[in-house]
Amino acid sequence: MPLVSVIIPTYNRSAFLRNAIQSVLKQTFRNFEILVVDDASQVNVEQIIDELGDCRIRLFRHDRNRGEAAARNTGVLYAKGEYLAFLDDDDEWLAEKLEKQVSVLSNEPPSVGGVYTGFFVVDITDETLLYTKIPSISGTIYRELLRHNAIGTPSTLMIRRACIDRVGLFDGSIVYGVDHDLYLRIARYFTFACIPEPLVRYHVHDARMSNDPDVVLRGMKALTQKYGRERGGLVNRKVLGCGYYDAGIACIDRNQRKRAQALFLRSILMNPLEWLSYHQFVCSLFEERQIQALKRLKRRLFPLKTEYDPNGVRRLPIGNMK
C-alpha cells in the first residue's frame, strides 16, 4: 500500500504533463502512487503514460470535461495513500519534496493536517526565474487564509487523508479558487506546518486559468459569498480587493490596460491599506516596453545578487533551482 498518493489533474496540456510526472518519478521518497486524471482531453494522455512505463502510475479519464474540482475529486476518491499530495500538470517538483513533507507529517500529531512548501515562479517560455516564495506562516492559519491564499499553488501541499474525511471534497461550484476554499475548510479543524524552502517549480504561461480576468472575478465573488460574513465586513472587502487585484493582473497579461486600471482602483477602494494595488495601478499607466526598460535600467544601476519583488519575496538566481 503506498503511503503517498500523488494526484495530477490534466486537460489538454500533454507538453507539460510529461515533465510533471517525471518530476514525481525522480523523487528521493519512493513509496507513492501517481493518479493522473484526464478531464476529457483531446490529446492522447494514455500514450504519455505508456511511454513512461511505471506501474505506479494509474490513469483515470472523464468522458466529458467536468472541471478542476471534479478532476481532483476523482483522484482523491481512488487514492490509496494515507497522505495526499497535489501536483498541477504544468508544475514540477524538486527531488526532495515528498521526502521532506513525509518527514514533517510523520513526526507531527494528527492535529497538523497538512504541510506546504515554498516555490519558484518560472516563466516557462524562457525559463526565467521571476521570484521565489518562501513561506513562514504555520500553526492556526484560518484567519490568514481569510485575508489571502497564504499557501498558494496546491502543488506545494501535502495533507492527511483525515482532512478530506473531515471537511469533504473540493467544491465544484467554485470556478476559480477551489484550492483556497479547501484550505479554508481544512484550517477550521487542523493546523498547518510549512517548510521554508522552495521545493516546487510553478510555471507561468498564457494557458493558465488565472489569465482569464472574468474567471478570476467569478471565483473570488463565490469565495466572498461563502466566507464574506466571517469576522464582519472587513474580511468581505479584503477578499473582494484580492479578487479585483488578481483580475487586474490578468488584464495586464492580456494587455488590457484600461480595464486593469479600473480593477486596481476597485481593489484600492475595497482595501485601501494594500499598497500593491497602488503599485500595480501606477505600472498599468505605462506600456510594457517602458516597464521593461525601467527594469533593465534598475538592474544596471543596482546589480544586486539578491533582489526583492514588490511583495517583498526574495528572488534567487536560476541556478539555485538545480
Side-chain angles (χ1 to χ4, degrees), residues 75-137:
V76 170
L77 291 172
Y78 283 97
K80 299 177 180 178
E82 177 183 349
Y83 301 144
L84 306 177
F86 303 97
L87 176 59
D88 287 348
D89 62 355
D90 53 348
D91 294 338
E92 297 174 39
W93 287 346
L94 273 65
E96 295 181 340
K97 177 184 181 289
L98 288 184
E99 180 179 359
K100 292 185 176 184
Q101 288 185 302
V102 168
S103 176
V104 170
L105 279 186
S106 62
N107 287 289
E108 292 285 354
S111 58
V112 179
V115 55
Y116 68 104
T117 77
F119 55 95
F120 297 105
V121 179
V122 182
D123 186 334
I124 203 168
T125 57
D126 58 6
E127 289 296 303
T128 299
L129 177 63
L130 302 178
Y131 64 90
T132 303
K133 180 66 178 292
I134 306 295
S136 60
I137 301 170

Side-chain angles (χ1 to χ4, degrees), residues 15-54:
F16 300 139
L17 177 63
R18 183 187 301 274
N19 291 335
I21 297 174
Q22 287 177 331
S23 76
V24 182
L25 296 177
K26 294 175 182 177
Q27 292 294 300
T28 55
F29 180 86
R30 309 299 295 170
N31 187 15
F32 61 79
E33 64 172 350
I34 302 174
L35 298 91
V36 177
V37 183
D38 177 11
D39 197 23
S41 298
Q42 283 80 55
V43 297
N44 192 344
V45 174
E46 186 174 3
Q47 180 180 348
I48 296 173
I49 305 302
D50 290 342
E51 290 173 356
L52 290 171
D54 194 299

Side-chain angles (χ1 to χ4, degrees), residues 55-68:
C55 63
R56 291 171 295 180
I57 307 173
R58 294 194 287 159
L59 175 62
F60 302 87
R61 177 175 169 80
H62 291 169
D63 57 0
R64 59 181 177 83
N65 184 257
R66 295 166 54 192
E68 176 189 355

Side-chain angles (χ1 to χ4, degrees), residues 145-269:
L145 286 169
L146 281 174
R147 289 193 287 270
H148 67 109
N149 186 351
I151 294 175
T153 170
S155 296
T156 71
L157 182 65
M158 177 185 289
I159 62 173
R160 301 182 194 270
R161 174 179 288 279
C163 293
I164 298 295
D165 295 338
R166 182 66 177 83
V167 307
L169 297 167
F170 289 90
D171 185 349
S173 69
I174 298 176
V175 66
Y176 177 81
V178 64
D179 51 336
H180 191 183
D181 170 67
L182 183 69
Y183 305 160
L184 280 161
R185 286 188 281 131
I186 292 174
R188 286 182 186 271
Y189 305 101
F190 299 88
T191 60
F192 283 84
C194 73
I195 297 175
E197 61 179 296
L199 296 173
V200 175
R201 288 168 55 105
Y202 173 80
H203 289 133
V204 175
H205 55 85
D206 292 338
R208 294 178 302 151
M209 185 183 298
S210 58
N211 277 26
D212 187 331
D214 296 312
V215 170
V216 172
L217 284 175
R218 288 203 306 273
M220 295 306 294
K221 287 180 179 178
L223 285 175
T224 300
Q225 291 174 354
K226 194 168 184 178
Y227 299 99
R229 294 180 181 177
E230 304 275 345
R231 297 174 64 217
L234 179 61
V235 170
N236 186 31
R237 295 177 69 86
K238 285 186 175 180
V239 172
L240 274 177
C242 287
Y244 291 133
Y245 176 87
D246 290 344
I249 294 295
C251 286
I252 290 293
D253 291 340
R254 292 187 168 199
N255 203 29
Q256 300 174 1
R257 296 189 173 277
K258 291 294 184 183
R259 188 181 181 192
Q261 291 163 19
L263 287 166
F264 290 137
L265 284 175
R266 295 180 77 177
S267 177
I268 290 169
L269 289 173

